[in-house]
Amino acid sequence: MSQTAFSTLNLKPDLLSNLSSLGYEAMTPIQAQSLPHILAGKDVIAQGKTGSGKTAAFGLGLLDHLNVKRFRVQSLVLCPTRELADQVAKEIRKLARAIHNIKVLTLCGGMPFGPQIGSLEHGAHIIVGTPGRVEEHVRKGFLNLDDLNMLILDEADRMLEMGFQDALDTIIDAAPERRQTLLFSATYPKQIESIAKRIMHKPVMAKVESTHDNSSIQQHFYKVDSNEDRMIGLRLLLSQHRPESAVVFCNTKRETQEVADDLEHYGFSAIALHGDLEQRERDQTLVRFANKSASVLVATDVAARGLDIDALDAVINYHVARDTEVHVHRIGRTGRAGSKGIACSFFSDKEHYKIALLEDYLDKTIEGEELPPMHLLDQPTHRPAMVTLQIGGGKKQKVRPGDILGALTGDNGIAGNQVGKINVFDMCAYVAVHREVARAALKKLENGKMKGRSFRVRQIRD
Ligand code: AMP
Protein backbone atom coordinates (compact mmCIF):
# COMPACT_ATOMS: atom_id res chain seq x y z
CA MET A 1 0.00 0.00 0.00
CA SER A 2 1.32 3.41 -0.91
CA GLN A 3 2.34 5.63 1.96
CA THR A 4 0.08 8.35 0.68
CA ALA A 5 -3.08 6.22 0.56
CA PHE A 6 -5.80 7.58 2.84
CA SER A 7 -6.36 4.02 4.00
CA THR A 8 -3.03 4.13 5.87
CA LEU A 9 -4.75 6.55 8.24
CA ASN A 10 -6.97 5.56 11.05
CA LEU A 11 -10.00 7.42 9.68
CA LYS A 12 -13.63 6.63 10.41
CA PRO A 13 -14.85 4.23 7.68
CA ASP A 14 -17.60 6.62 6.53
CA LEU A 15 -15.09 9.36 5.94
CA LEU A 16 -12.73 7.03 4.14
CA SER A 17 -15.28 5.61 1.72
CA ASN A 18 -16.56 9.07 0.90
CA LEU A 19 -13.06 10.15 -0.11
CA SER A 20 -12.91 7.68 -2.93
CA SER A 21 -16.35 8.80 -4.08
CA LEU A 22 -14.93 12.34 -4.21
CA GLY A 23 -12.06 11.10 -6.34
CA TYR A 24 -9.42 11.83 -3.71
CA GLU A 25 -7.13 8.91 -4.35
CA ALA A 26 -3.95 9.82 -2.58
CA MET A 27 -3.02 12.35 0.06
CA THR A 28 -1.47 15.57 -1.11
CA PRO A 29 1.93 16.31 0.47
CA ILE A 30 0.47 18.60 3.11
CA GLN A 31 -2.13 16.00 4.02
CA ALA A 32 0.48 13.26 4.26
CA GLN A 33 2.63 15.47 6.48
CA SER A 34 -0.08 16.73 8.81
CA LEU A 35 -2.96 14.24 8.98
CA PRO A 36 -1.25 11.53 11.03
CA HIS A 37 -0.42 14.13 13.72
CA ILE A 38 -3.82 15.79 13.51
CA LEU A 39 -5.59 12.45 13.93
CA ALA A 40 -3.30 11.65 16.85
CA GLY A 41 -4.66 14.73 18.59
CA LYS A 42 -1.52 16.83 18.39
CA ASP A 43 -1.31 20.56 17.80
CA VAL A 44 0.00 21.16 14.30
CA ILE A 45 1.47 24.11 12.46
CA ALA A 46 1.31 23.60 8.71
CA GLN A 47 2.66 25.73 5.99
CA GLY A 48 0.31 25.28 3.10
CA LYS A 49 -1.23 27.55 0.55
CA THR A 50 -4.55 27.47 -1.26
CA GLY A 51 -4.60 24.58 -3.69
CA SER A 52 -2.44 22.35 -1.52
CA GLY A 53 -5.37 20.42 -0.06
CA LYS A 54 -5.03 22.03 3.35
CA THR A 55 -8.78 22.36 3.86
CA ALA A 56 -9.24 18.62 3.60
CA ALA A 57 -6.28 18.14 5.97
CA PHE A 58 -7.94 19.98 8.83
CA GLY A 59 -11.48 19.13 7.61
CA LEU A 60 -10.85 15.40 7.92
CA GLY A 61 -9.21 15.96 11.27
CA LEU A 62 -12.15 17.80 12.75
CA LEU A 63 -14.73 15.46 11.26
CA ASP A 64 -12.90 12.45 12.59
CA HIS A 65 -12.98 13.86 16.12
CA LEU A 66 -16.57 14.97 15.95
CA ASN A 67 -19.30 13.38 18.00
CA VAL A 68 -22.46 13.94 15.95
CA LYS A 69 -24.77 12.93 18.75
CA ARG A 70 -23.49 15.76 20.88
CA PHE A 71 -25.16 18.80 19.36
CA ARG A 72 -22.69 21.43 20.56
CA VAL A 73 -20.10 23.56 18.85
CA GLN A 74 -17.09 21.24 18.81
CA SER A 75 -14.91 22.81 16.12
CA LEU A 76 -14.26 26.35 15.08
CA VAL A 77 -12.43 27.35 11.90
CA LEU A 78 -11.37 30.98 11.59
CA CYS A 79 -10.58 32.40 8.14
CA PRO A 80 -9.50 35.88 7.01
CA THR A 81 -12.26 36.48 4.45
CA ARG A 82 -15.83 35.53 3.82
CA GLU A 83 -14.95 34.00 0.46
CA LEU A 84 -12.46 31.68 2.09
CA ALA A 85 -14.89 30.81 4.89
CA ASP A 86 -17.53 29.92 2.31
CA GLN A 87 -15.07 27.69 0.44
CA VAL A 88 -13.97 26.00 3.64
CA ALA A 89 -17.55 25.34 4.73
CA LYS A 90 -18.29 23.92 1.30
CA GLU A 91 -15.32 21.56 1.43
CA ILE A 92 -16.20 20.41 4.95
CA ARG A 93 -19.78 19.69 3.89
CA LYS A 94 -18.43 17.68 0.96
CA LEU A 95 -16.15 15.66 3.22
CA ALA A 96 -19.00 15.14 5.68
CA ARG A 97 -21.48 13.87 3.09
CA ALA A 98 -21.44 10.34 4.40
CA ILE A 99 -22.18 11.32 8.00
CA HIS A 100 -25.77 12.24 8.68
CA ASN A 101 -26.97 15.38 10.40
CA ILE A 102 -23.73 17.28 10.65
CA LYS A 103 -24.45 20.96 10.94
CA VAL A 104 -21.84 23.39 9.61
CA LEU A 105 -22.61 27.07 10.17
CA THR A 106 -20.78 30.07 8.69
CA LEU A 107 -20.56 33.30 10.67
CA CYS A 108 -19.01 36.06 8.59
CA GLY A 109 -18.82 39.79 8.68
CA GLY A 110 -20.67 41.75 6.02
CA MET A 111 -23.70 39.51 6.53
CA PRO A 112 -26.78 40.44 8.59
CA PHE A 113 -26.26 39.71 12.30
CA GLY A 114 -29.81 38.79 13.32
CA PRO A 115 -30.25 35.65 11.22
CA GLN A 116 -26.91 34.37 12.54
CA ILE A 117 -28.27 34.54 16.09
CA GLY A 118 -31.25 32.50 14.95
CA SER A 119 -28.98 29.89 13.36
CA LEU A 120 -26.88 29.71 16.52
CA GLU A 121 -30.02 29.10 18.56
CA HIS A 122 -30.76 26.12 16.31
CA GLY A 123 -27.29 24.82 17.07
CA ALA A 124 -24.28 23.60 15.09
CA HIS A 125 -21.36 21.18 15.36
CA ILE A 126 -18.89 23.17 13.32
CA ILE A 127 -18.54 26.93 12.95
CA VAL A 128 -16.58 28.48 10.10
CA GLY A 129 -16.23 32.23 10.27
CA THR A 130 -14.23 35.43 10.17
CA PRO A 131 -12.63 36.57 13.45
CA GLY A 132 -14.44 39.90 13.83
CA ARG A 133 -17.92 38.44 13.57
CA VAL A 134 -17.19 35.32 15.58
CA GLU A 135 -15.71 37.48 18.31
CA GLU A 136 -18.85 39.61 18.37
CA HIS A 137 -21.05 36.55 18.84
CA VAL A 138 -18.78 35.27 21.59
CA ARG A 139 -18.65 38.62 23.36
CA LYS A 140 -22.42 39.10 23.23
CA GLY A 141 -23.02 35.60 24.51
CA PHE A 142 -24.66 34.11 21.41
CA LEU A 143 -21.83 31.68 20.77
CA ASN A 144 -20.71 29.41 23.58
CA LEU A 145 -17.36 27.70 23.13
CA ASP A 146 -17.37 25.59 26.31
CA ASP A 147 -17.54 22.35 24.33
CA LEU A 148 -14.97 23.29 21.74
CA ASN A 149 -12.28 20.67 21.27
CA MET A 150 -10.72 21.82 18.04
CA LEU A 151 -9.68 25.31 16.98
CA ILE A 152 -8.31 25.95 13.50
CA LEU A 153 -6.69 29.13 12.28
CA ASP A 154 -6.66 29.11 8.49
CA GLU A 155 -4.37 31.56 6.70
CA ALA A 156 -3.24 32.79 10.09
CA ASP A 157 -0.68 35.15 8.57
CA ARG A 158 -3.41 37.02 6.69
CA MET A 159 -5.65 37.24 9.72
CA LEU A 160 -2.86 38.94 11.61
CA GLU A 161 -2.05 41.19 8.65
CA MET A 162 -5.66 42.24 8.51
CA GLY A 163 -5.59 43.32 12.14
CA PHE A 164 -7.57 40.47 13.67
CA GLN A 165 -5.16 39.91 16.55
CA ASP A 166 -7.48 41.31 19.25
CA ALA A 167 -10.49 39.44 17.96
CA LEU A 168 -8.45 36.23 17.93
CA ASP A 169 -7.34 36.79 21.51
CA THR A 170 -10.89 37.27 22.73
CA ILE A 171 -12.07 34.13 20.96
CA ILE A 172 -9.18 32.05 22.25
CA ASP A 173 -9.80 33.29 25.79
CA ALA A 174 -13.35 31.99 25.54
CA ALA A 175 -12.23 28.53 24.37
CA PRO A 176 -11.32 25.72 26.75
CA GLU A 177 -7.62 25.31 27.56
CA ARG A 178 -7.81 21.62 26.77
CA ARG A 179 -8.32 21.59 23.05
CA GLN A 180 -6.44 20.80 19.89
CA THR A 181 -5.21 23.79 17.92
CA LEU A 182 -4.19 23.73 14.26
CA LEU A 183 -2.57 26.66 12.55
CA PHE A 184 -2.27 26.97 8.78
CA SER A 185 -0.29 29.75 7.26
CA ALA A 186 1.32 30.37 3.87
CA THR A 187 4.16 32.30 5.45
CA TYR A 188 5.74 32.06 8.88
CA PRO A 189 6.65 35.54 10.11
CA LYS A 190 7.67 36.37 13.70
CA GLN A 191 4.13 37.31 14.66
CA ILE A 192 2.93 33.79 13.88
CA GLU A 193 5.73 32.30 15.88
CA SER A 194 4.71 34.33 18.90
CA ILE A 195 0.99 33.58 18.62
CA ALA A 196 1.82 29.88 18.20
CA LYS A 197 3.88 29.99 21.39
CA ARG A 198 0.99 31.51 23.29
CA ILE A 199 -1.89 29.40 22.10
CA MET A 200 -0.44 26.03 21.11
CA HIS A 201 0.81 23.09 23.07
CA LYS A 202 4.01 21.41 21.79
CA PRO A 203 3.06 21.89 18.14
CA VAL A 204 4.36 19.62 15.41
CA MET A 205 5.60 21.44 12.30
CA ALA A 206 4.41 20.14 8.94
CA LYS A 207 6.23 21.90 6.19
CA VAL A 208 5.96 20.96 2.56
CA GLU A 209 8.87 21.99 0.45
CA SER A 210 7.02 21.44 -2.78
CA THR A 211 4.78 24.45 -2.14
CA HIS A 212 7.84 26.32 -3.31
CA ASP A 213 8.10 24.46 -6.54
CA ASN A 214 7.18 26.93 -9.20
CA SER A 215 9.14 25.28 -11.95
CA SER A 216 6.18 25.08 -14.31
CA ILE A 217 5.78 28.83 -14.17
CA GLN A 218 7.75 30.96 -16.58
CA GLN A 219 9.02 34.04 -14.81
CA HIS A 220 9.87 37.24 -16.64
CA PHE A 221 11.39 40.40 -15.23
CA TYR A 222 11.33 43.89 -16.70
CA LYS A 223 13.36 46.83 -15.54
CA VAL A 224 11.60 50.18 -15.59
CA ASP A 225 12.87 53.65 -14.76
CA SER A 226 9.69 55.53 -13.90
CA ASN A 227 6.04 55.02 -13.05
CA GLU A 228 5.09 56.02 -16.59
CA ASP A 229 7.31 53.23 -17.90
CA ARG A 230 5.66 50.82 -15.54
CA MET A 231 2.19 51.63 -16.85
CA ILE A 232 3.36 51.44 -20.48
CA GLY A 233 5.05 48.13 -19.71
CA LEU A 234 1.87 46.77 -18.16
CA ARG A 235 -0.21 47.83 -21.17
CA LEU A 236 2.31 46.20 -23.50
CA LEU A 237 2.27 42.91 -21.63
CA LEU A 238 -1.52 42.83 -21.49
CA SER A 239 -1.68 43.67 -25.21
CA GLN A 240 0.76 40.93 -26.07
CA HIS A 241 -0.64 38.14 -23.93
CA ARG A 242 -4.32 39.14 -24.08
CA PRO A 243 -5.16 37.12 -20.95
CA GLU A 244 -8.71 36.11 -20.19
CA SER A 245 -7.93 36.28 -16.46
CA ALA A 246 -4.91 38.07 -15.06
CA VAL A 247 -4.12 39.48 -11.65
CA VAL A 248 -1.94 42.57 -11.29
CA PHE A 249 -0.50 42.86 -7.79
CA CYS A 250 0.13 46.25 -6.23
CA ASN A 251 1.57 46.97 -2.81
CA THR A 252 -0.92 49.61 -1.69
CA LYS A 253 -4.66 50.18 -1.89
CA ARG A 254 -4.16 53.55 -3.49
CA GLU A 255 -1.97 52.23 -6.23
CA THR A 256 -4.43 49.41 -6.86
CA GLN A 257 -7.19 51.88 -7.61
CA GLU A 258 -4.94 54.13 -9.70
CA VAL A 259 -3.64 51.30 -11.85
CA ALA A 260 -7.14 49.92 -12.42
CA ASP A 261 -8.40 53.40 -13.36
CA ASP A 262 -5.50 53.97 -15.75
CA LEU A 263 -5.99 50.61 -17.43
CA GLU A 264 -9.68 51.30 -17.83
CA HIS A 265 -8.84 54.66 -19.32
CA TYR A 266 -6.69 52.90 -21.93
CA GLY A 267 -9.52 50.57 -22.82
CA PHE A 268 -8.72 47.45 -20.80
CA SER A 269 -11.35 45.62 -18.85
CA ALA A 270 -9.80 46.11 -15.42
CA ILE A 271 -11.22 46.28 -11.92
CA ALA A 272 -9.69 47.00 -8.53
CA LEU A 273 -9.94 44.77 -5.47
CA HIS A 274 -8.76 46.20 -2.17
CA GLY A 275 -9.81 46.46 1.45
CA ASP A 276 -11.67 49.74 1.11
CA LEU A 277 -14.44 48.31 -1.01
CA GLU A 278 -17.83 47.80 0.56
CA GLN A 279 -18.97 44.21 0.76
CA ARG A 280 -21.37 44.69 -2.13
CA GLU A 281 -18.68 46.15 -4.38
CA ARG A 282 -16.31 43.40 -3.38
CA ASP A 283 -18.86 40.71 -4.20
CA GLN A 284 -19.52 42.32 -7.55
CA THR A 285 -15.82 42.61 -8.38
CA LEU A 286 -15.16 38.97 -7.57
CA VAL A 287 -18.20 37.86 -9.51
CA ARG A 288 -17.16 39.80 -12.62
CA PHE A 289 -13.63 38.48 -12.53
CA ALA A 290 -14.67 34.88 -11.90
CA ASN A 291 -17.37 34.90 -14.59
CA LYS A 292 -14.90 36.21 -17.17
CA SER A 293 -16.59 39.54 -17.84
CA ALA A 294 -13.58 41.42 -16.49
CA SER A 295 -10.17 40.19 -17.50
CA VAL A 296 -7.75 42.12 -15.31
CA LEU A 297 -8.04 42.22 -11.55
CA VAL A 298 -5.76 44.72 -9.85
CA ALA A 299 -5.35 43.69 -6.23
CA THR A 300 -3.39 43.95 -3.03
CA ASP A 301 -2.08 40.72 -1.51
CA VAL A 302 -4.54 40.84 1.35
CA ALA A 303 -7.54 41.40 -0.89
CA ALA A 304 -6.54 38.63 -3.28
CA ARG A 305 -6.56 36.00 -0.58
CA GLY A 306 -9.40 33.61 -0.80
CA LEU A 307 -9.77 34.37 -4.47
CA ASP A 308 -10.95 31.11 -5.93
CA ILE A 309 -9.94 31.19 -9.57
CA ASP A 310 -8.65 27.94 -11.01
CA ALA A 311 -6.66 29.10 -13.93
CA LEU A 312 -5.05 32.49 -14.07
CA ASP A 313 -3.33 33.05 -17.39
CA ALA A 314 -0.97 35.58 -15.93
CA VAL A 315 0.19 37.13 -12.71
CA ILE A 316 1.84 40.51 -13.04
CA ASN A 317 3.74 42.12 -10.19
CA TYR A 318 3.44 45.84 -10.73
CA HIS A 319 6.00 46.10 -7.99
CA VAL A 320 8.07 43.22 -6.73
CA ALA A 321 6.59 41.95 -3.47
CA ARG A 322 8.13 43.04 -0.19
CA ASP A 323 9.43 39.61 0.62
CA THR A 324 10.32 36.51 -1.29
CA GLU A 325 7.67 34.29 0.21
CA VAL A 326 4.95 36.68 -0.84
CA HIS A 327 6.41 36.74 -4.35
CA VAL A 328 6.40 32.96 -4.53
CA HIS A 329 2.88 32.83 -3.22
CA ARG A 330 1.68 35.39 -5.78
CA ILE A 331 3.15 33.67 -8.78
CA GLY A 332 1.92 30.30 -7.52
CA ARG A 333 -1.54 31.45 -8.55
CA THR A 334 -0.78 31.21 -12.22
CA GLY A 335 -0.53 28.01 -14.19
CA ARG A 336 -2.80 26.07 -11.87
CA ALA A 337 -4.22 22.70 -12.72
CA GLY A 338 -1.45 21.74 -15.08
CA SER A 339 -1.91 24.70 -17.41
CA LYS A 340 1.10 26.85 -18.08
CA GLY A 341 1.01 30.34 -16.73
CA ILE A 342 3.27 33.30 -16.94
CA ALA A 343 4.48 35.55 -14.18
CA CYS A 344 5.86 38.99 -14.99
CA SER A 345 7.48 41.41 -12.55
CA PHE A 346 8.50 45.03 -12.93
CA PHE A 347 11.36 46.41 -10.91
CA SER A 348 13.25 49.68 -10.72
CA ASP A 349 16.72 50.46 -9.44
CA LYS A 350 15.23 51.27 -6.07
CA GLU A 351 13.82 47.77 -5.81
CA HIS A 352 17.11 46.12 -6.58
CA TYR A 353 17.52 44.75 -3.09
CA LYS A 354 14.32 42.74 -3.49
CA ILE A 355 15.64 41.37 -6.76
CA ALA A 356 18.86 40.41 -5.02
CA LEU A 357 16.83 38.42 -2.46
CA LEU A 358 14.93 36.71 -5.24
CA GLU A 359 18.17 35.88 -7.02
CA ASP A 360 19.39 34.19 -3.88
CA TYR A 361 16.18 32.32 -3.58
CA LEU A 362 15.98 31.21 -7.23
CA ASP A 363 19.70 30.67 -7.31
CA LYS A 364 20.16 32.49 -10.59
CA THR A 365 20.80 35.99 -11.84
CA ILE A 366 17.82 38.03 -12.88
CA GLU A 367 18.18 40.18 -15.95
CA GLY A 368 15.58 42.60 -17.19
CA GLU A 369 14.05 41.46 -20.48
CA GLU A 370 12.96 43.63 -23.41
CA LEU A 371 9.35 44.69 -23.30
CA PRO A 372 7.10 43.82 -26.26
CA PRO A 373 7.22 46.34 -29.17
CA MET A 374 5.45 49.68 -28.72
CA HIS A 375 3.23 49.30 -31.80
CA LEU A 376 1.12 46.82 -29.81
CA LEU A 377 -0.41 49.82 -28.08
CA ASP A 378 -2.08 50.82 -31.36
CA GLN A 379 -4.12 47.64 -31.47
CA PRO A 380 -7.61 47.50 -30.03
CA THR A 381 -7.56 46.13 -26.50
CA HIS A 382 -8.88 42.67 -25.67
CA ARG A 383 -12.55 42.63 -24.66
CA PRO A 384 -13.79 39.80 -22.45
CA ALA A 385 -16.11 37.27 -24.05
CA MET A 386 -18.78 37.72 -21.41
CA VAL A 387 -20.76 40.58 -19.90
CA THR A 388 -22.50 40.65 -16.53
CA LEU A 389 -26.17 41.46 -16.03
CA GLN A 390 -27.32 42.45 -12.58
CA ILE A 391 -30.80 41.49 -11.44
CA GLY A 392 -32.48 43.44 -8.64
CA GLY A 393 -33.67 40.37 -6.75
CA GLY A 394 -31.93 37.56 -4.91
CA LYS A 395 -32.39 34.91 -2.23
CA LYS A 396 -34.72 37.15 -0.20
CA GLN A 397 -37.04 37.28 -3.21
CA LYS A 398 -36.60 33.51 -3.62
CA VAL A 399 -34.79 33.94 -6.95
CA ARG A 400 -32.75 30.84 -7.76
CA PRO A 401 -30.19 30.19 -10.49
CA GLY A 402 -32.68 27.94 -12.25
CA ASP A 403 -35.23 30.78 -12.45
CA ILE A 404 -32.67 33.01 -14.13
CA LEU A 405 -31.56 30.35 -16.55
CA GLY A 406 -35.19 29.55 -17.31
CA ALA A 407 -36.09 33.20 -17.96
CA LEU A 408 -33.12 33.59 -20.30
CA THR A 409 -33.48 30.43 -22.33
CA GLY A 410 -37.21 29.67 -22.27
CA ASP A 411 -39.67 30.75 -24.94
CA ASN A 412 -37.32 31.58 -27.84
CA GLY A 413 -34.71 32.85 -25.52
CA ILE A 414 -30.97 32.69 -25.90
CA ALA A 415 -29.17 29.35 -26.06
CA GLY A 416 -28.11 27.74 -22.80
CA ASN A 417 -24.49 27.65 -23.88
CA GLN A 418 -24.53 31.44 -24.15
CA VAL A 419 -25.13 31.69 -20.43
CA GLY A 420 -22.16 31.68 -18.06
CA LYS A 421 -21.89 31.74 -14.30
CA ILE A 422 -24.88 32.69 -12.18
CA ASN A 423 -24.36 34.08 -8.68
CA VAL A 424 -27.29 34.73 -6.36
CA PHE A 425 -26.83 36.96 -3.30
CA ASP A 426 -29.39 38.01 -0.70
CA MET A 427 -30.78 41.04 -2.50
CA CYS A 428 -29.46 40.72 -6.05
CA ALA A 429 -28.11 38.26 -8.57
CA TYR A 430 -25.61 38.29 -11.40
CA VAL A 431 -25.57 36.33 -14.60
CA ALA A 432 -22.84 36.28 -17.22
CA VAL A 433 -23.88 36.01 -20.87
CA HIS A 434 -21.91 36.08 -24.10
CA ARG A 435 -21.33 39.60 -25.32
CA GLU A 436 -23.11 39.05 -28.67
CA VAL A 437 -26.37 38.16 -26.96
CA ALA A 438 -26.17 40.70 -24.14
CA ARG A 439 -28.95 42.93 -25.50
CA ALA A 440 -31.26 40.03 -26.20
CA ALA A 441 -30.58 38.60 -22.76
CA LEU A 442 -31.27 41.92 -21.08
CA LYS A 443 -34.60 42.27 -22.93
CA LYS A 444 -35.57 38.74 -22.06
CA LEU A 445 -34.95 39.30 -18.35
CA GLU A 446 -36.63 42.71 -18.35
CA ASN A 447 -39.78 41.49 -20.05
CA GLY A 448 -39.98 38.06 -18.53
CA LYS A 449 -41.04 37.14 -15.02
CA MET A 450 -39.32 35.24 -12.27
CA LYS A 451 -41.25 34.00 -9.26
CA GLY A 452 -44.27 35.74 -10.77
CA ARG A 453 -42.81 39.22 -10.86
CA SER A 454 -40.42 41.29 -12.90
CA PHE A 455 -37.15 42.64 -11.60
CA ARG A 456 -34.93 45.55 -12.44
CA VAL A 457 -32.09 44.40 -14.70
CA ARG A 458 -29.03 46.27 -15.89
CA GLN A 459 -25.83 45.52 -17.68
CA ILE A 460 -22.75 46.29 -15.63
CA ARG A 461 -20.65 48.62 -17.74
CA ASP A 462 -17.20 47.42 -18.58
P1 AMP B 1 -7.42 23.61 -0.80
O1 AMP B 1 -5.93 23.76 -0.85
O2 AMP B 1 -7.88 23.13 0.51
O3 AMP B 1 -8.10 24.86 -1.26
O4 AMP B 1 -7.82 22.42 -1.81
C1 AMP B 1 -7.64 22.48 -3.20
C2 AMP B 1 -8.53 21.51 -3.96
O5 AMP B 1 -8.03 20.19 -3.93
C3 AMP B 1 -9.95 21.42 -3.45
O6 AMP B 1 -10.82 21.58 -4.55
C4 AMP B 1 -10.08 20.03 -2.88
O7 AMP B 1 -11.40 19.53 -3.09
C5 AMP B 1 -9.05 19.23 -3.65
N1 AMP B 1 -8.40 18.16 -2.89
C6 AMP B 1 -8.01 18.21 -1.59
N2 AMP B 1 -7.39 17.06 -1.23
C7 AMP B 1 -7.38 16.27 -2.34
C8 AMP B 1 -6.84 14.95 -2.61
N3 AMP B 1 -6.21 14.25 -1.68
N4 AMP B 1 -7.00 14.48 -3.85
C9 AMP B 1 -7.64 15.20 -4.79
N5 AMP B 1 -8.14 16.44 -4.61
C10 AMP B 1 -8.02 16.98 -3.39
Side-chain angles (χ1 to χ4, degrees), residues 181-400:
T181 307
L182 309 179
L183 186 152
F184 286 74
S185 186
T187 61
Y188 197 69
K190 278 258 154 3
Q191 248 188 320
I192 293 280
E193 206 178 304
S194 84
I195 196 170
K197 273 216 184 89
R198 277 193 294 126
I199 68 167
M200 301 181 84
H201 180 68
K202 293 194 187 150
V204 178
M205 299 284 287
K207 188 172 171 161
V208 181
E209 294 304 332
S210 63
T211 53
H212 289 227
D213 177 16
N214 291 300
S215 51
S216 70
I217 301 165
Q218 298 173 351
Q219 288 209 56
H220 303 275
F221 293 87
Y222 303 94
K223 185 158 184 297
V224 288
D225 295 324
S226 64
N227 270 343
E228 288 82 61
D229 279 4
R230 226 180 266 270
M231 180 44 71
I232 291 173
L234 178 58
R235 289 166 57 203
L236 284 171
L237 291 177
L238 291 174
S239 302
Q240 184 181 42
H241 296 292
R242 303 176 87 73
E244 211 172 59
S245 299
V247 174
V248 177
F249 282 104
C250 292
N251 288 341
T252 65
K253 289 178 198 169
R254 211 175 109 200
E255 188 173 58
T256 303
Q257 192 63 55
E258 284 169 5
V259 169
D261 290 347
D262 282 356
L263 285 176
E264 232 193 309
H265 169 78
Y266 288 114
F268 293 91
S269 139
I271 38 178
L273 182 72
H274 54 68
D276 284 351
L277 298 183
E278 286 174 22
Q279 190 65 42
R280 202 184 159 90
E281 297 170 302
R282 187 177 160 81
D283 286 339
Q284 197 184 92
T285 301
L286 290 170
V287 161
R288 289 174 60 198
F289 187 60
N291 75 15
K292 307 248 158 101
S293 67
S295 51
V296 184
L297 184 76
V298 188
T300 55
D301 291 296
V302 173
R305 292 301 293 219
L307 188 68
D308 184 25
I309 309 289
D310 301 332
L312 287 180
D313 307 314
V315 166
I316 301 179
N317 295 310
Y318 199 60
H319 286 278
V320 180
R322 290 194 192 94
D323 69 56
T324 310
E325 291 214 33
V326 175
H327 176 86
V328 170
H329 192 250
R330 282 182 181 179
I331 67 166
R333 291 174 166 273
T334 186
R336 288 250 188 100
S339 64
K340 252 205 157 58
I342 54 158
C344 303
S345 306
F346 293 109
F347 67 97
S348 64
D349 268 337
K350 269 202 210 140
E351 291 167 295
H352 209 270
Y353 72 99
K354 298 189 215 165
I355 293 294
L357 288 176
L358 269 179
E359 285 180 328
D360 278 351
Y361 180 83
L362 297 170
D363 203 14
K364 65 174 194 199
T365 37
I366 292 174
E367 311 238 7
E369 290 176 36
E370 288 250 347
L371 278 163
M374 287 297 277
H375 70 77
L376 285 179
L377 297 188
D378 303 332
Q379 288 182 2
T381 52
H382 168 75
R383 302 306 294 164
M386 311 297 280
V387 298
T388 298
L389 306 180
Q390 180 178 23
I391 300 160
K395 287 184 192 150
K396 287 267 150 64
Q397 290 74 28
K398 307 250 182 306
V399 172
R400 292 207 218 117

Side-chain angles (χ1 to χ4, degrees), residues 78-82 84 107-110 129-136 153-172 191 195 198 279 302:
L78 295 169
C79 304
T81 62
R82 172 152 77 87
L84 185 65
L107 295 176
C108 296
T130 49
R133 183 56 63 92
V134 170
E135 184 264 344
E136 195 175 346
L153 306 182
D154 191 12
E155 302 202 348
D157 49 352
R158 299 297 150 179
M159 290 199 279
L160 295 180
E161 262 179 52
M162 292 165 81
F164 282 133
Q165 173 88 52
D166 291 348
L168 289 176
D169 286 343
T170 310
I171 296 166
I172 292 163
Q191 248 188 320
I195 196 170
R198 277 193 294 126
Q279 190 65 42
V302 173

Side-chain angles (χ1 to χ4, degrees), residues 6 23-28 31 49-56 87 91 94:
F6 282 103
Y24 292 14
E25 276 157 18
M27 286 188 265
T28 64
Q31 291 163 356
K49 57 174 191 172
T50 301
S52 61
K54 66 187 166 75
T55 317
Q87 277 175 51
E91 175 86 6
K94 232 166 61 178

